[in-house]
Amino acid sequence: MISSKQESSFFFCHILLQSFLFTFWETYPTRNGKKLDKAGTHERFIKLSDEDQDLCILAATHFSKSKMVQDGFGIKDPKRFIRDGKENEPWRDWIEPEKITTEEDMKTKTA
């Protein structure tokens, strides 16, 4: 039998996880005005460690602000951003924000 303390702890963890998933879902950009497969995204998101869930949300924030996304290019479905069919985790490439190369940077490199 589950004690009320265990039940409360489980309920709190469930609410916290739902909050993290909601944050990820809201942060991640749409593709052609849509986000597909929330259930599949949830399934992959909950398999991440707590630390990776935090990092995945950060990565989604960086990805959504990237020039590529702003130009409407390269947006995957959210579940494939977390883990694609080849067990890669594309979100890890976005933990650090995109570095924009400016004309000034190019001049410095060639000098």
Side-chain angles (χ1 to χ4, degrees):
M1 184 163 190
I2 298 175
S3 71
S4 62
K5 186 175 181 179
Q6 289 172 320
E7 191 174 303
S8 294
S9 178
F10 174 78
F11 181 72
F12 176 75
C13 289
H14 178 74
I15 295 298
L16 187 60
L17 179 59
Q18 291 301 319
S19 174
F20 275 99
L21 178 62
F22 177 79
T23 302
F24 173 79
W25 189 259
E26 291 300 308
T27 302
Y28 195 79
T30 60
R31 185 176 79 178
N32 299 325
K34 299 178 185 177
K35 290 182 204 172
L36 302 175
D37 200 2
K38 191 171 188 176
T41 302
H42 178 265
E43 186 178 307
R44 291 180 184 188
F45 190 82
I46 62 173
K47 290 180 181 177
L48 297 174
S49 69
D50 292 347
E51 181 181 352
D52 282 352
Q53 287 175 7
D54 287 339
L55 290 173
C56 189
I57 291 168
L58 177 66
T61 302
H62 292 156
F63 179 65
S64 67
K65 293 178 180 178
S66 71
K67 178 162 177 28
M68 186 170 75
V69 169
Q70 298 304 312
D71 292 343
F73 176 75
I75 304 171
K76 304 170 184 274
D77 291 330
K79 77 175 188 178
R80 288 183 177 81
F81 180 76
I82 296 172
R83 190 178 65 247
D84 66 17
K86 299 174 186 160
E87 299 304 313
N88 297 316
E89 295 179 311
W91 66 269
R92 291 190 184 276
D93 295 336
W94 292 96
I95 293 173
E96 294 294 322
E98 177 181 48
K99 293 187 173 130
I100 305 292
T101 304
T102 64
E103 287 184 36
E104 189 63 35
D105 293 336
M106 296 302 286
K107 289 178 187 175
T108 304
K109 288 181 182 178
T110 57

